[in-house]
Amino acid sequence: MTDVHSGPIPATLIPGDGIGPEIMAATTDVLAALGAPFVWDIQQAGMAGIEAGGDPLPEAALASIRRTKLALKGPLTTPVGGGFRSVNVRLREAFGLYANVRPVRTIVPGGRYENIDIVLVRENLEGLYVAFEHYIPIGEDAHAVAISSGVNTRAGSRRIAEYAFDYAARNQRKKVTIVHKANVLKALTGIFLETAQQVAKEYEGRVASDERIVDACAMQLVLNPWQFDVIVTTNLFGDILSDELAGLVGGLGFAPGANIGTDAAIFEAVHGSAPDIAGKGIANPVAVMLAAGMMLEHVGRLDLAQRLRAGIDAAINIDGARTRDMGGQAGTSEFAQAVKRRVAP
Ligand code: NAI
Ligand code: MG
């Protein structure tokens, strides 16, 4: 968290692709009603960036984030296979966004699980996502063999483990669970486990710790999610488990994320551009609104973050405003109106 600001704070806004523009408009609307201090510099990226100037990550967007060091980002579509590297991965690399913090909390009661409150801290720069990938041709088949190398470093593992344990200590959390697959990927995830265990020792007495192998963890999250508090894990496992966590609280519409780095912080929903419902005005904007709440906390405005979360909660649980994924009928902007009425000072 940076120092407490009271004046206006310049920040980059990337509306994104698919449902992005709809849920981002809903969110900035609510932030304005809340009196949030952000002064937006709107930039295009993703498919919108390609359409505007042939580049999914235009230099203007990068320059803006270099200047503001703070961004709220909509989901960006990455075409599968061929040509483009994921813009999200490139952004994480460009700004050293090493920690991906993904909290899930039950907001709508009556789902499969009640009272879920888990924070996943995902390593965001290493592992299999460095994508050192290539094919080996055999005979006529140019793609007969596919090879991918993962990279985990001791320094990178230490940095993310320290972030997770420090996060737990700062946020009155009791336990960090280290999730790995060191029984099979002995080098790649062994170095992560070993380093995280060393960090755990340094926090002994302040933050408890335990370990899970990723597949067992995935099952236990379904059977008894309440045993988990903070989870720290490598890049790919973190990607998979964070969608599973979203499922515990009613789906991707409720899962926000913060990409925290040495040079900047970028806030976004865990979900993608949802092309199946884009343009229909029915997407759930809560995940991005909660990401904006994390952004408010990041700049020291805990008061506004708290009021935003309470407003979302009241709109859903008292006023009955619910989008379709919550079992209701409200459209994205109708839902935003309900939250706006609740957060206005
Ligand atoms: P997705 O997260 O976009 O959608 C998965 C399912 O969840 C869909 O049925 C969708 O309708 C639903 N969903 C997602 N967000 C929702 C919301 N706010 N309200 C209601 N329903 C919602 O994942 P998918 O389809 O695998 O990916 C689509 C595109 O998004 C791909 O190009 C992918 O690369 C990109 N993506 C981008 C991310 C980012 O920018 N951070 C993260 C994940 C995917
Ligand atoms: Mg994902």
Side-chain angles (χ1 to χ4, degrees), residues 123-135:
E123 200 292 318
N124 220 14
L125 295 175
E126 303 195 324
L128 285 159
Y129 278 58
V130 297
F132 290 151
E133 297 203 296
H134 63 280
Y135 294 104

Side-chain angles (χ1 to χ4, degrees), residues 196-262:
Q197 283 170 328
Q198 286 163 3
V199 174
K201 272 219 164 58
E202 294 160 21
Y203 280 81
E204 232 167 42
R206 282 186 291 159
V207 180
S209 80
D210 60 4
E211 296 148 28
R212 291 285 188 288
I213 294 173
V214 62
D215 38 355
C217 178
M219 182 203 63
Q220 287 171 5
L221 276 168
V222 171
L223 284 183
N224 175 16
W226 301 278
Q227 67 185 293
F228 295 101
D229 188 351
V230 176
I231 292 172
V232 64
T233 191
T234 48
N235 207 338
L236 176 61
F237 299 159
D239 187 14
I240 297 167
L241 291 181
S242 52
D243 275 33
E244 186 181 1
L245 286 176
L248 300 178
V249 296
L252 285 167
F254 295 97
N259 298 279
I260 307 285
T262 44

Side-chain angles (χ1 to χ4, degrees), residues 19 73-78 88 252-253 268-277 283-284 325:
I19 59 171
K73 180 183 118 358
L76 302 175
T77 300
T78 300
N88 294 308
L252 285 167
E268 63 181 337
V270 168
H271 64 70
S273 53
D276 52 334
I277 57 166
N284 176 359
D325 57 309

Side-chain angles (χ1 to χ4, degrees), residues 7-304:
I9 302 172
T12 305
L13 183 82
I14 299 175
D17 300 317
I19 59 171
E22 303 161 47
I23 56 179
M24 298 300 276
T27 301
T28 49
D29 226 25
V30 164
L31 288 172
L34 181 69
F38 304 121
V39 180
W40 302 113
D41 178 21
I42 300 173
Q43 295 291 335
Q44 301 301 333
M47 300 309 277
I50 294 178
E51 276 154 33
D55 186 351
L57 189 53
E59 178 50 34
L62 288 168
S64 172
I65 300 171
R66 243 178 255 128
R67 184 171 59 78
T68 62
K69 304 189 190 318
L70 194 62
L72 185 63
K73 180 183 118 358
L76 302 175
T77 300
T78 300
V80 175
F84 293 104
R85 266 200 87 196
S86 160
V87 178
N88 294 308
V89 172
R90 282 175 60 198
L91 267 177
R92 289 166 192 170
E93 289 173 356
F95 295 101
L97 307 174
Y98 66 92
N100 195 331
V101 184
R102 295 178 155 184
V104 289
R105 252 190 230 128
T106 304
I107 296 180
V108 186
R112 281 200 183 83
Y113 302 91
E114 301 287 354
N115 302 318
I116 297 294
D117 182 4
I118 303 171
V119 180
L120 183 129
V121 178
R122 164 186 173 188
E123 200 292 318
N124 220 14
L125 295 175
E126 303 195 324
L128 285 159
Y129 278 58
V130 297
F132 290 151
E133 297 203 296
H134 63 280
Y135 294 104
I136 298 176
I138 298 178
E140 297 291 286
D141 186 356
H143 289 178
V145 179
I147 296 190
S148 180
S149 312
V151 177
N152 281 334
T153 64
R154 196 181 300 288
S157 299
R158 169 160 279 276
R159 183 160 69 167
I160 195 66
E162 281 175 346
Y163 187 92
F165 279 89
D166 180 58
Y167 178 96
R170 277 189 286 118
N171 292 280
Q172 292 80 45
R173 295 272 174 173
K174 295 195 162 51
K175 184 179 72 175
V176 175
T177 302
I178 303 162
V179 176
H180 62 90
K181 186 78 188 177
N183 52 328
V184 175
L185 300 170
K186 287 180 197 278
L188 186 68
T189 78
I191 196 174
F192 171 79
L193 172 61
E194 184 187 300
T195 309
Q197 283 170 328
Q198 286 163 3
V199 174
K201 272 219 164 58
E202 294 160 21
Y203 280 81
E204 232 167 42
R206 282 186 291 159
V207 180
S209 80
D210 60 4
E211 296 148 28
R212 291 285 188 288
I213 294 173
V214 62
D215 38 355
C217 178
M219 182 203 63
Q220 287 171 5
L221 276 168
V222 171
L223 284 183
N224 175 16
W226 301 278
Q227 67 185 293
F228 295 101
D229 188 351
V230 176
I231 292 172
V232 64
T233 191
T234 48
N235 207 338
L236 176 61
F237 299 159
D239 187 14
I240 297 167
L241 291 181
S242 52
D243 275 33
E244 186 181 1
L245 286 176
L248 300 178
V249 296
L252 285 167
F254 295 97
N259 298 279
I260 307 285
T262 44
D263 306 327
I266 300 182
F267 298 81
E268 63 181 337
V270 168
H271 64 70
S273 53
D276 52 334
I277 57 166
K280 296 188 178 153
I282 59 172
N284 176 359
V286 168
V288 182
M289 290 181 184
L290 292 172
M294 296 177 81
M295 186 164 163
L296 285 165
E297 272 181 12
H298 180 78
V299 299
R301 294 302 306 265
L302 302 181
D303 55 332
L304 294 180

